[in-house]
């Protein structure tokens, strides 16, 4: 059973940066694509970014392209999301999630059909002056 634990959230001013981390345990990390999702109050959960099993492919939702960077370390079983030039609309609880997949070069920002079977508890990101 894969477990995921997020950290790195907090309060930051507009234009600032945060580095979110997702540490996993309990199963071979390299078998999973990892996604970052967020949910703001009153809004639906949204796929933010994902990275394929070996890190060869990444995807970003349009609103964060050029500002967020996802990376993974398959030795340390960790995925990072570097969030820069943060805006108030980035305020949300950020979750990392794992998708078991046989594909080494794909990942999806969709989670509506149970693509991601394992989720962390979330970390709050608040962007405000």
């Amino acid at each position: 059973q894969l477990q995921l634990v997020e950290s790195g959230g907090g309060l930051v001013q507009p234009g600032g940066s945060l580095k979110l981390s997702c540490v996993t345990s309990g199963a071979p990390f390299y078998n999973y694509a990892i996604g970052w999702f967020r949910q703001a109050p009153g809004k639906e959960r949204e796929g933010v970014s994902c990275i394929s099993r070996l890190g060869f492919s990444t995807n970003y939702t349009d609103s964060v392209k050029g500002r967020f960077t996802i990376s993974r370390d398959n030795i340390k079983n960790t995925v990072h999301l570097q969030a820069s030039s943060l805006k108030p609309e980035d305020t949300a609880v950020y979750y990392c999630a794992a998708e078991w997949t046989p594909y080494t070069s794909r990942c999806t920002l969709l989670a509506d059909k149970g693509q991601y079977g394992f989720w962390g508890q979330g970390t709050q990101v608040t962007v405000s002056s």
Side-chain angles (χ1 to χ4, degrees):
Q1 184 86 356
L2 188 71
Q3 289 99 39
L4 303 94
V5 178
E6 304 95 334
S7 62
L11 173 63
V12 63
Q13 292 187 344
S17 298
L18 284 174
K19 187 174 185 178
L20 306 184
S21 297
C22 175
V23 179
T24 71
S25 61
F29 181 57
Y30 50 81
N31 284 338
Y32 297 85
I34 302 295
W36 281 97
F37 296 80
R38 66 186 180 187
Q39 188 164 23
K43 294 188 177 181
E44 292 188 356
R45 184 178 60 196
E46 161 184 46
V48 176
S49 180
C50 65
I51 188 165
S52 60
R53 284 174 51 188
L54 301 182
F56 295 148
S57 295
T58 58
N59 287 318
Y60 300 90
T61 192
D62 287 346
S63 63
V64 307
K65 285 180 180 176
R67 301 189 296 121
F68 289 16
T69 302
I70 192 170
S71 60
R72 70 186 289 160
D73 184 334
N74 280 1
I75 302 298
K76 296 182 178 178
N77 297 345
T78 300
V79 172
H80 297 293
L81 185 68
Q82 177 69 49
S84 303
S85 301
L86 284 160
K87 304 175 181 180
E89 51 264 43
D90 294 317
T91 295
V93 178
Y94 283 70
Y95 301 88
C96 67
E99 176 197 25
W100 186 93
T101 174
Y103 303 108
T104 58
S105 298
R106 297 184 191 179
C107 69
T108 179
L109 295 179
L110 301 176
D112 57 325
K113 295 180 173 58
Q115 294 91 330
Y116 287 86
F118 304 94
W119 292 79
Q121 81 290 349
T123 186
Q124 175 71 46
V125 171
T126 303
V127 185
S128 175
S129 55

